[in-house]
Amino acid sequence: MNEKLDRRKKYTRMVLKDSLITLLKVKPISAITVKAICTEADINRSTFYSHYHDQFDLLEQIEEELIADLNAYLNQYNFEQEAEALKMTEKLLEYVVSKRDICQTLLSGNGDHSFERRVMDVARTFLTKSWTKNNDLDTELSEYAGTFLISGSIYVIKHWLANEMDKSPKQMAELINSFRFRE
């Protein structure tokens, strides 16, 4: 009985998440109501409120799960050496491809900007170590350079998604990593 309840709970949460993502494709989070999510999911509002406080809580949970999944995916690899920055960028892009629909939706203007900041934090954790490791710049300047590179890379990824991923993850990784070597 308990296993059945857990499966039902998982299913309900999955349907609510999918419904919010569907709605985010056409309207901003601020214009989406719990009622609209429930209508899309064909679930009553009391069921929604037994799982989430509001639409923002649901969005935050989606983002948390995706960021945790991204961290787990990237932690499978050792990216300590500078030469591996290209491989890490490629792995990050492969992850984006595997979660294309949700990443494109959450990085669009309809979500909130917290997801973009979280992705930047993950990228900063993995990329700036190797990007700034052998850099002669002082720590403060390296932090600013890293932020510049990461934020630019996020916008390149958003543009790539908008262009139907017209290049492979490897090609995009090479392009993104080439930006840091230009003078």
Side-chain angles (χ1 to χ4, degrees):
M1 178 80 174
N2 204 12
E3 183 182 322
K4 186 176 182 179
L5 184 62
D6 287 345
R7 282 190 300 158
R8 192 178 312 157
K9 210 176 202 183
K10 286 178 186 177
Y11 174 78
T12 300
R13 289 181 179 175
M14 179 194 71
V15 169
L16 290 169
K17 289 172 186 176
D18 290 346
S19 297
L20 179 59
I21 294 300
T22 299
L23 293 170
L24 279 171
K25 291 177 184 178
V26 293
K27 16 172 140 168
I29 185 67
S30 59
I32 297 173
T33 63
V34 170
K35 182 179 179 182
I37 296 168
C38 291
T39 300
E40 180 71 29
D42 195 25
I43 289 176
N44 67 48
R45 286 173 41 168
S46 62
T47 301
F48 177 93
Y49 287 117
S50 69
H51 296 276
Y52 305 102
H53 298 293
D54 56 22
Q55 68 273 34
F56 299 102
D57 182 36
L58 173 55
L59 179 59
E60 185 177 328
Q61 294 301 315
I62 292 169
E63 292 174 356
E64 295 262 339
E65 287 176 18
L66 198 58
I67 293 298
D69 189 43
L70 176 60
N71 273 312
Y73 177 77
L74 293 175
N75 276 320
Q76 296 176 55
Y77 305 97
N78 178 14
F79 303 114
E80 292 299 316
Q81 300 172 8
E82 183 174 350
E84 294 182 14
L86 176 64
K87 194 67 175 167
M88 201 294 304
T89 306
E90 186 178 347
K91 291 295 179 191
L92 176 67
L93 293 168
E94 287 172 359
Y95 181 83
V96 169
V97 168
S98 74
K99 305 284 185 179
R100 175 189 178 183
D101 191 45
I102 193 166
C103 287
Q104 189 169 26
T105 302
L106 293 177
L107 288 171
S108 76
N110 288 341
D112 63 4
H113 292 288
S114 67
F115 181 69
E116 193 172 306
R117 284 190 303 272
R118 288 175 172 179
V119 171
M120 286 178 66
D121 289 342
V122 170
R124 182 178 290 110
T125 299
F126 287 95
L127 283 175
T128 55
K129 288 178 189 174
S130 63
W131 280 1
T132 59
K133 189 182 219 176
N134 296 324
N135 199 335
D136 293 334
L137 301 174
D138 63 47
T139 306
E140 183 179 328
L141 191 54
S142 291
E143 183 180 327
Y144 284 109
T147 299
F148 178 77
L149 290 168
I150 298 292
S151 62
S153 297
I154 295 294
Y155 280 89
V156 167
I157 292 169
K158 288 169 76 168
H159 185 73
W160 177 58
L161 285 167
N163 283 342
E164 303 296 321
M165 298 181 303
D166 56 348
K167 297 186 183 321
S168 71
K170 183 175 182 159
Q171 290 171 313
M172 287 305 297
E174 289 168 350
L175 178 68
I176 289 170
N177 278 277
S178 74
F179 296 149
R180 68 189 178 104
F181 295 115
R182 298 190 189 260
E183 298 192 21

